Amino acid sequence: MSEDWLTGPVLEQLNSGVLVVDEHLQLVYLNSFLQRHSSVQLSEVKGKSLFQVFTDVPEAWLRRKFASVLELQSPSFSSWEQRQYIIKLPHLRPVTSSSQYMAQNCTMLPLKDPAGRRYVCLLIEDATDAFVYQQHLQTTLEKLELSNRIDGLTQALNRRYWEDQLKLEVQRSQRYQQPLSLLLFDLDKFKQLNDQYGHLGGDSVLIELTARVRALLRDTDWFGRYGGEEFGIVLTNTALAGAIEVAERICLAVNSTAVTFHEQSIATSVSIGVAQLDAAGDRAHEVLIGQADIALYNAKREGRNRVVSFSEGETEFLLKAN
Amino acid sequence: MSTVFSEEQRDCLQELINVAMGLASDKLARFLNTFVHLQVPAIELVSSAQIPAQFEARYSNTEAALVSQGFLGNDGLRGEAIVLYQLDNAHRIAALLGYDTDSASELEMLTDISSILTTTFLNGLADQIDNSLSYSAPRVLSSRQTNVSQALQETAFHWELALKVDISYQLIDHSFNCDMLLLIPGEAVSNIQHILDRILEEY
């Protein structure tokens, strides 16, 4: 064929690696792409064992692959998704990729020369782009999952996610017979504060408040924004006395230091209702929220900036009053 | 376009497949260093719409793997080969191939096994009709969280005709069953019919 001259130049300029070994897995050929990427000269390595030249390839695995290609005379494949690379090579995207090495899609093909001798051709395609996109997708999905459960302004959990966690913790507490308590708290006179300092002032108080509260909690507690200026905290493995103690500390942390906004000091306080899980059944979490809410109402009524815990007697009274 | 094969064409295809299976089992036996007995595969031509229903029952109670590999030859021969097998079978043959679970992931074993089965068989088929095939990398369509019939439905959707080949390998100490599906697009079906007619004329 008169186009035979094509193969050489094309092979040399191909943007993929081409490597050929004989039946004894000794190197017969490397194209420029591979020589350049691995800083190896064909003239220096021709006839040497593949594993002597590329010392960090997975030898047992690759021997098995090559054996199947030679024996079965059928191709074999390797994808970057399962094995990121076969031969460690630098890639040409040093800035945009977090990975140090080229991700590779590899094909191992059976070859025979005119005399019938058998060879294996290893084709290495650069899949770093796909690898990078996959990683971007992964981090994006993680961020999305996070933003799906937190409140944008305060970074506390959003109501939906927080309520889900409350339900789960209530079930866990019932199953393992561990105490569980709930705090519901509300920023006192928030409407007045908004009127006086504007909504930005109100927002900055909410942000500062959440930060102070979070500093007082354990990793196992669930802190969420329940409504506008209302928050909830699920205290796992905590009985009423412990919950009241935490609530008192929160009250103090909020009230003891004013929030600074545009060089103005804004004095704030919170009212907190506390209840311990007592009810059984599927709607136990709703009963618990109801009880903490009643205690919170009482804290407001008794003059704000205080902690009130729920007790059975008051329910009756309040429910009637409502 | 007619996707109906004449009786002669069908017999011819069955014969080609029998021989291809024989060649494949011979190669596999040498490679695995064990005797491979192979039953004569039953072939069936079905419209691809029927495919999910046909396999749902067999794979509904077990964890199954579904691996796809595209093939492309001369004379307009092309399609997609799908190998279906049960995962506990996969682990048996993986051990035979010399895999230990430390050095290769399950997905890697699945693709390797099905690629070996597919390419040895199809190469044998291609040899007999003076064709040669190239293959795309194998891709796992589903494993573990399996809904086999749904995965099949999504895949079969693109194809007009399916050639169902029921393969059953019997190794000395192991038995291994799998199903192979060759999904073939409409224009390739008539190309195959031409190839078959050509072979029939030569005899």
Side-chain angles (χ1 to χ4, degrees), chain A residues 149-168:
Chain A
R149 59 167 94 147
I150 61 167
D151 167 56
L153 179 69
T154 62
Q155 306 292 305
L157 300 172
N158 64 29
R159 176 168 174 167
R160 187 180 45 77
Y161 186 76
W162 179 82
E163 277 195 306
D164 287 346
Q165 298 312 309
L166 172 64
K167 274 182 221 167
L168 290 174

Side-chain angles (χ1 to χ4, degrees), chain A residues 213-230:
Chain A
V213 171
R214 191 178 293 112
L216 296 171
L217 299 176
R218 302 166 300 181
D219 287 345
T220 49
D221 300 328
W222 299 101
F223 177 29
R225 188 173 178 193
Y226 194 71
E229 71 277 23
E230 196 173 344

Side-chain angles (χ1 to χ4, degrees), chain A residues 1 3 7 49 70 97 125 144 150 161 209 218 228 251 265 271 297 299:
Chain A
M1 257 187 283
E3 285 84 12
T7 8
S49 156
L70 285 165
S97 171
E125 285 170 83
L144 202 61
I150 61 167
Y161 186 76
L209 166 79
R218 302 166 300 181
C251 247
S265 276
S271 302
Y297 179 86

Side-chain angles (χ1 to χ4, degrees), chain B residues 116-159:
Chain B
I116 284 176
L117 294 176
T118 304
T119 56
T120 47
F121 166 65
L122 285 180
N123 278 350
L125 194 62
D127 279 349
Q128 298 174 72
I129 54 174
D130 293 322
N131 213 314
S132 74
L133 298 173
S134 53
Y135 301 93
S136 69
R139 205 158 48 88
V140 176
L141 296 180
S142 89
S143 82
R144 297 232 169 261
Q145 65 284 14
T146 313
N147 186 337
V148 168
S149 67
Q150 194 185 336
L152 269 175
Q153 192 137 33
E154 285 163 9
T155 312
F157 179 75
H158 304 285
W159 309 102

